């Protein structure tokens, strides 16, 4: 009886103990590893993908993932407990440096006594959403936004909508990423 009570107490302590830090570390590593593999179908990668999208969709958005390095694992979890930084300038992290968050904003309107017009912009930001640049910015076009655009990484990506007559305003976000072999991919568009 005493062993069962001790086992139950240890189980509760394990469930309520240090897992929050381990959980944050684990999901960031899962996001990076699954992204490098193109988010292959699995429970872990599906959860990593959902977490990444949940981070980038609020405004202001959060980086798609945090730092994943063994140096940050606490000693109590079996790591060195150091303060080392992950050097992403090394060639083996080139795939990580090709990660971009792509923002789309478009609207359709009718100025007084003029035909319908469209405005749209595509903005590409680094994986931390710190450095951003516009890929396209169009104001007062008499035609809807086109079906596709070319990203910074050379991918042809479809716009979130066709910009038809009934699309009066659209705001969406996606993540463009490369895997460790240099293949590029992207998430679907998420409207917010």
């Amino acid at each position: 009886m005493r062993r069962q009570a001790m086992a139950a107490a240890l189980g509760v302590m394990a469930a309520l103990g240090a897992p929050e830090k381990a959980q944050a570390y684990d999901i960031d590593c899962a996001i990076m590893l699954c992204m490098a593999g193109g988010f292959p179908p699995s429970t872990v990668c599906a959860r990593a993908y959902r977490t990444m999208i949940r981070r980038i969709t609020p405004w202001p958005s959060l980086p798609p993932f945090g730092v994943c390095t063994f140096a940050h694992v606490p000693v109590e979890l079996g790591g060195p407990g150091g303060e080392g930084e992950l050097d992403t300038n090394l060639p083996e992290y080139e795939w990580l440096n090709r990660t971009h968050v792509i923002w789309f904003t478009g609207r359709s309107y009718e100025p007084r006594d003029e035909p319908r017009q469209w405005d749209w912009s595509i903005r590409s930001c680094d994986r931390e959403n710190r450095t951003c640049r516009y890929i396209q910015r169009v104001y007062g076009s008499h035609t809807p936004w086109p079906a596709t655009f070319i990203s910074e990484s050379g991918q042809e990506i479809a716009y979130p909508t066709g910009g038809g007559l009934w699309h009066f305003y659209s705001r969406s976000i996606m993540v463009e990423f490369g895997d460790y072999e240099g293949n590029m991919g992207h998430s679907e568009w998420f409207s917010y």
Side-chain angles (χ1 to χ4, degrees), residues 25 67-73 80-88:
Y25 169 81
V67 175
C68 170
T69 174
F70 188 67
H72 288 274
V73 179
E83 296 295 321
E85 285 291 323
L86 180 64
D87 184 5
T88 61

Side-chain angles (χ1 to χ4, degrees), residues 23-36 39 47-57 61-69 86 88 93-101 125-130 175-178:
Q23 187 72 5
Y25 169 81
D26 289 341
I27 197 64
D28 288 332
C29 289
I31 291 169
M32 290 176 68
L33 293 171
C34 291
M35 184 182 292
F39 289 100
R47 180 170 172 250
Y49 185 82
R50 284 191 310 271
T51 301
M52 178 186 70
I53 297 305
R54 190 175 63 244
R55 287 180 181 176
I56 64 172
T57 50
S61 75
L62 301 170
F65 46 83
V67 175
C68 170
T69 174
L86 180 64
T88 61
Y93 291 107
E94 182 57 34
W95 63 271
L96 180 60
N97 295 323
R98 288 192 308 265
T99 301
H100 293 99
V101 178
C125 302
D126 66 5
R127 70 182 186 276
E128 295 176 346
N129 279 331
R130 289 190 181 146
V175 176
E176 177 183 40
F177 53 87

Side-chain angles (χ1 to χ4, degrees), residues 16 24 32 38 41 46 81 97 106 109 118 136 172 175:
L16 300 176
M32 290 176 68
N97 295 323
Y109 57 96
W118 288 264
Q136 282 188 353
S172 301
V175 176

Side-chain angles (χ1 to χ4, degrees), residues 94-102 124-125 133 135 149-157 175-179 182-186:
E94 182 57 34
W95 63 271
L96 180 60
N97 295 323
R98 288 192 308 265
T99 301
H100 293 99
V101 178
I102 299 177
S124 178
C125 302
R133 72 177 199 84
I135 295 174
F149 69 95
I150 304 298
S151 73
E152 283 185 278
S153 300
Q155 287 194 91
E156 184 175 1
I157 299 176
V175 176
E176 177 183 40
F177 53 87
D179 67 13
N183 302 315
M184 295 303 297
H186 56 84

Side-chain angles (χ1 to χ4, degrees), residues 103 120-124 132-137 139 152:
W103 302 84
W120 69 89
S121 66
I122 294 283
R123 191 168 44 126
S124 178
C132 300
R133 72 177 199 84
Y134 281 97
I135 295 174
Q136 282 188 353
R137 241 187 320 193
Y139 298 105
E152 283 185 278

